[in-house]
Amino acid sequence: MNHNITYNLAWRKLTDPTRMPSNSAQEELGHNLLSSIKYAYKVDRRDSSIRPARGYAFMSTSQVGGLAPESKYSRFLRQEFDLRMALPLGVLNGALNAGVAAGVIHPLERGSAGSVSPLVERFNLGGNMPLVCHLGGPSSLLGFKTRGLRAATESRTHDPNTPGNGTSPSSKLNGLGGEVAVTAFADLSFDLPLKPLRELGIHGHAFVCAGNLGRLTECDLRKFPATEFLQTFRSCAGWGIVVPTRLFRVEMNYCYILKQLDHDGGKTDIQFNFSSS
């Protein structure tokens, strides 16, 4: 078990190259002071962080920002949970890893345009982080580029093979309200039939993952559109080759997008993923 308390004090400058921010986002542009305290609780009973075959892991983090005077637009509460489990299968040295992570960020102050949570503290789903190793809240979603998901209320379901899946250049930066993020995955690892590869620890895996991002535009969490949130989960499936070492894990994956929404940054393609131990 591990308990950790950290204090962060940073002076930051936020700019918008598109010059098309919303009114609430304009209030955050320029210099601002971030002062926050963060508490993390972590327990990791897995036999390995690179290729876990049995055990479980759990992490909970709580962060309160805006402790310094005059940090009006950086006052927020952020809570994250992450749970992982690994089960041995007894065939081909196989193991099933599964996990679910959730997080919420909620503003503690109101700007002139309504409740505002800091843009730089928003959840960024996507990127090239492997599903199995990373423990620290919702973030990894294979097949999607970094910050490749937009809130479901800003998009509509479409065919993943339709061109133009990137973020629309006309979309405006939105700083209103808070956010809810959820990700989940299942990963099946197994030895490859070639002995030289097995001796090096190189193995195969197949996976499926899903996630979603939703806006909190109301102070009352009971008004959150849970049904719509569940219906608009994005998902991806695929398989790949894993090269583990003592220091890091490298994956070469084929990712097939099962579902995405308008302007999401998902793409059916080969993706390389990296993670340290």
Side-chain angles (χ1 to χ4, degrees), residues 7-40:
Y7 175 75
N8 183 40
L9 182 64
W11 183 258
R12 303 176 299 186
K13 181 179 181 181
L14 180 64
T15 60
D16 177 39
T18 66
R19 298 183 180 180
M20 293 185 298
S22 63
N23 292 334
S24 60
Q26 287 180 358
E27 297 180 351
E28 295 192 54
L29 297 181
H31 295 277
N32 65 79
L33 179 67
L34 172 66
S35 174
S36 66
I37 187 169
K38 182 177 182 180
Y39 167 74

Side-chain angles (χ1 to χ4, degrees), residues 133-167:
C133 301
H134 179 67
L135 184 67
S139 61
S140 183
L141 189 60
L142 299 189
F144 292 82
K145 65 182 181 180
T146 303
R147 301 181 182 179
L149 263 68
R150 298 181 61 189
T153 54
E154 301 175 19
S155 306
R156 297 185 302 274
T157 304
H158 77 297
D159 185 349
N161 296 320
T162 301
N165 293 333
T167 302

Side-chain angles (χ1 to χ4, degrees), residues 198-213:
R198 292 199 303 269
E199 292 177 346
L200 293 174
I202 300 174
H203 60 279
H205 76 138
F207 60 86
V208 60
C209 57
N212 202 0
L213 188 65

Side-chain angles (χ1 to χ4, degrees), residues 34-110:
L34 172 66
S35 174
S36 66
I37 187 169
K38 182 177 182 180
Y39 167 74
Y41 169 76
K42 178 181 179 181
V43 54
D44 194 342
R45 303 298 187 188
R46 296 175 297 179
D47 56 353
S48 170
S49 61
I50 298 296
R51 187 185 179 183
R54 65 176 68 247
Y56 67 92
F58 174 77
M59 173 175 277
S60 171
T61 60
S62 304
Q63 182 179 8
V64 178
L67 303 180
E70 304 302 326
S71 56
K72 181 177 181 180
Y73 300 109
S74 295
R75 291 174 182 164
F76 63 93
L77 173 65
R78 179 173 178 145
Q79 179 67 52
E80 297 174 84
F81 298 97
D82 201 338
L83 175 64
R84 307 293 176 90
M85 296 189 66
L87 300 173
L89 299 180
V91 179
L92 295 177
N93 196 27
L96 175 64
N97 280 266
V100 59
V104 59
I105 178 171
H106 199 277
L108 299 179
E109 290 289 337
R110 283 184 174 272

